[in-house]
Amino acid sequence: MMQAYRMSLQVNCSSRLCVQLLQAACLSTTTHNNTKNSYELVVVGGGSGGCATAAKFSSRLGKGKVVIIDPADTHYYQPMFTLIGGGMKTLQNSCKPMSKVLPKKADWLKQSCVEFDPDNNTVTTEDGSKISYKYLVVAMGLQLNYDQIPGLLEALNTPNSGVGSIYSPLYVNKTYEALQQFKSGNAIFTFPNTPVKCAGAPQKIMYIAEEYLRKHGKRDGANIIYNTSLGVLFGIKKYADSLWKVVESRGMTVNTRRNLVEVHGASKQALFQNLDDPSDTTLTDYEMLHVTPPMSAPDVLRSSSLVDANGFLSVSKDTLQHTRYSNIFGIGDCTNTPNAKTAASVAGQVGVLRRNLSAAMSGTPLHAVYDGYASCPLVTGYSKCIMAEFDYNGNPLETFPINQAKERRTMFIMKKYFLPDVYWYGLLKGYWEGPALMRRVMHLGLKK
Ligand code: FAD
Ligand code: UQ1
């Protein structure tokens, strides 16, 4: 039963009318072509990484050679969820029907993958079909485990509860609702004790909320609190230093090593645990609660033989090839590469995958190496953004010859107006492999 609550970004378990209506608008009623039971390349997951990979390889290998397995009707541009939470965009702006997004030269099997059998080069789908492959790319993203926090789903599913979450299309609109309904009291923003995608988003929504309340004359009666399980505000010092200035200058409170463990929706209270002393718990009143849920790789992947001890797809952090099966590669949030999990990282990975999977297919050595590139546009309100870009070692890897740790309007404009098109028409079509080339040009060839 609890399992039914567990959701990835497919919203097929939704009972909420607005999402159902939206899905009707974005509905994909047909798959691409009649699917077969054997392919040169099977891609599991048609999100950012899977779609980009399928676009590249279906154009290279031709029709009928690549299949994408994904049950979702709708492809969401998840980076827009942060702006939707602040009322700057609508959920409709962030989605397209899967059938319009997936590459035409690839087949689409609109089913969940339920089992991996890497020793026999097959995957099984929900109707029991076995699909065999020569090569497999796993791109299943992260599962959102809202059910792991007692009381949270009830609060999220209760109208006007003051609880929202930009991480799910089901609850992103509840975030803006809670903001609009806020009168006075604590507005609490959480960061869980698991890896997450876009680790900046839990605080971006706080900055947006702070500006919203200020502009609507409610800031004096609001305590804005960031309770994070991490020991730091942001993992990269250069950007963390700037973010601390934002937090301090705008009077927000940051509590590190505080993990949300229960939500008491009826009394509007949240229970937090001190991760350095688990017996130390604090029940805090809230008027608004924004929750970033615990996340993991999807259960199907976690229960397979393809994962590491932490339950993520076990691949080489350099080549993205599986550590035990040479015909399997991974891309995106479900792998164990130690980069920040973002769409920008997917862009950084897709060129490496293009070269290394092509090399594997032609029996030549894998030379391409992923440097861990990730980017997180740290929106600090309705008009400013710190454009964080960095590599595996936490070294800034900035595209533009300016200090990107500074809050800038230009970077906000890029985030709001330019990056969605880079995503839909660049990354998903297989053309955008991240800004590495742009960076070299901007720095007159002086940077890697
Ligand atoms: P996804 O795009 O999530 O795709 C996973 C796919 O796998 C889905 O289509 C799903 O249906 C499918 N799937 C799952 N289980 C199965 C199964 N059993 N069988 C078949 N298919 C399955 N990134 C940035 O670069 N910049 C940002 O500003 C940014 N902001 C963000 C803000 C928020 C609120 C969120 C939620 C994310 C943000 N991201 C951002 C992160 C970015 O969206 C993800 O890192 C990226 O989409 C990961 O791509 P992926 O292919 O790994 O997974
Ligand atoms: C990026 O490449 C990308 O993928 C399309 C994103 O996802 C939407 C991003 O948010 C960012 C910041 C990048 C990096 C691109 C530039 C120009 C810095």
Side-chain angles (χ1 to χ4, degrees), residues 82-83 88 200 203-205 207-208 243 376-386 407 411-412 415-416:
T82 314
L83 304 183
M88 288 177 254
Q203 63 188 287
K204 298 182 206 176
I205 188 62
Y207 302 132
I208 291 169
L243 293 167
C376 189
L378 294 155
V379 169
T380 53
Y382 284 79
S383 61
K384 297 269 170 63
C385 177
I386 289 169
E407 288 179 272
M411 294 297 149
F412 181 87
K415 157 82 185 165
K416 189 172 175 189

Side-chain angles (χ1 to χ4, degrees), residues 135-445:
Y135 296 92
L136 172 70
V137 171
V138 183
M140 298 168 82
L142 289 180
Q143 174 175 284
L144 306 175
N145 298 320
Y146 286 104
D147 62 302
Q148 285 178 357
I149 298 177
L152 175 57
L153 275 167
E154 289 83 340
L156 283 167
N157 289 319
T158 301
N160 307 320
S161 63
V163 183
S165 177
I166 57 169
Y167 274 82
S168 163
L170 290 177
Y171 306 123
V172 60
N173 283 331
K174 288 213 63 170
T175 309
Y176 190 49
E177 265 166 45
L179 202 48
Q180 289 171 299
Q181 289 166 2
F182 187 94
K183 292 192 178 71
S184 65
N186 293 332
I188 307 178
F189 298 81
T190 73
F191 188 112
N193 193 20
T194 66
V196 300
K197 46 184 149 182
C198 196
Q203 63 188 287
K204 298 182 206 176
I205 188 62
M206 170 173 73
Y207 302 132
I208 291 169
E210 194 277 337
E211 185 172 335
Y212 179 93
L213 295 178
R214 201 156 20 97
K215 286 195 169 141
H216 289 80
K218 293 179 187 167
R219 183 63 182 93
D220 288 347
N223 293 319
I224 298 185
I225 302 166
Y226 188 59
N227 279 356
T228 171
S229 295
L230 301 178
V232 292
L233 182 54
F234 192 72
I236 311 298
K237 189 178 178 308
K238 174 172 181 176
Y239 307 110
D241 289 349
S242 299
L243 293 167
W244 273 113
K245 286 186 192 137
V246 172
V247 160
E248 282 160 7
S249 66
R250 289 164 57 183
M252 293 171 258
T253 302
V254 175
N255 298 313
T256 55
R257 306 289 292 152
R258 290 290 182 286
N259 185 29
L260 176 69
V261 289
E262 279 176 32
V263 176
H264 303 180
S267 57
K268 286 194 151 186
Q269 292 177 308
L271 188 69
F272 290 92
Q273 184 175 50
N274 177 353
L275 290 171
D276 293 326
D277 175 7
S279 64
D280 173 15
T281 54
T282 320
L283 196 59
T284 312
D285 294 337
Y286 64 81
E287 165 81 356
M288 171 178 176
L289 177 66
H290 178 269
V291 180
T292 300
M295 299 177 206
S296 65
D299 289 340
V300 174
L301 181 57
R302 273 203 297 172
S303 60
S304 77
S305 60
L306 296 176
V307 294
D308 69 1
N310 298 315
F312 289 93
L313 185 79
S314 183
V315 297
S316 152
K317 72 188 246 301
D318 299 327
T319 64
L320 307 179
Q321 186 178 42
H322 196 270
T323 50
R324 293 183 295 278
Y325 297 95
S326 61
N327 62 339
I328 300 181
F329 288 75
I331 187 165
D333 296 349
C334 69
T335 79
N336 68 347
T337 55
N339 54 282
K341 295 180 185 298
T342 67
S345 318
V346 168
Q349 291 169 5
V350 77
V352 174
L353 191 60
R354 169 179 57 75
R355 282 176 282 161
N356 285 343
L357 180 51
S358 301
M361 285 172 168
S362 54
T364 55
L366 314 190
H367 288 306
V369 172
Y370 174 47
D371 59 6
Y373 173 80
S375 173
C376 189
L378 294 155
V379 169
T380 53
Y382 284 79
S383 61
K384 297 269 170 63
C385 177
I386 289 169
M387 185 59 80
E389 291 182 277
F390 45 93
D391 64 12
Y392 271 142
N393 301 318
N395 296 322
L397 208 54
E398 299 183 344
T399 302
F400 305 98
I402 51 173
N403 177 10
Q404 290 182 205
K406 202 170 167 302
E407 288 179 272
R408 292 178 189 275
R409 186 180 289 271
T410 45
M411 294 297 149
F412 181 87
I413 289 168
M414 177 146 71
K415 157 82 185 165
K416 189 172 175 189
Y417 300 107
F418 177 65
L419 288 173
D421 283 350
V422 172
Y423 182 86
W424 292 116
Y425 305 108
L427 181 66
L428 294 191
K429 300 285 176 208
Y431 303 126
W432 175 251
E433 296 185 351
L437 182 63
M438 233 166 112
R439 182 171 65 239
R440 273 180 231 126
V441 172
M442 294 265 185
H443 291 86
L444 307 172

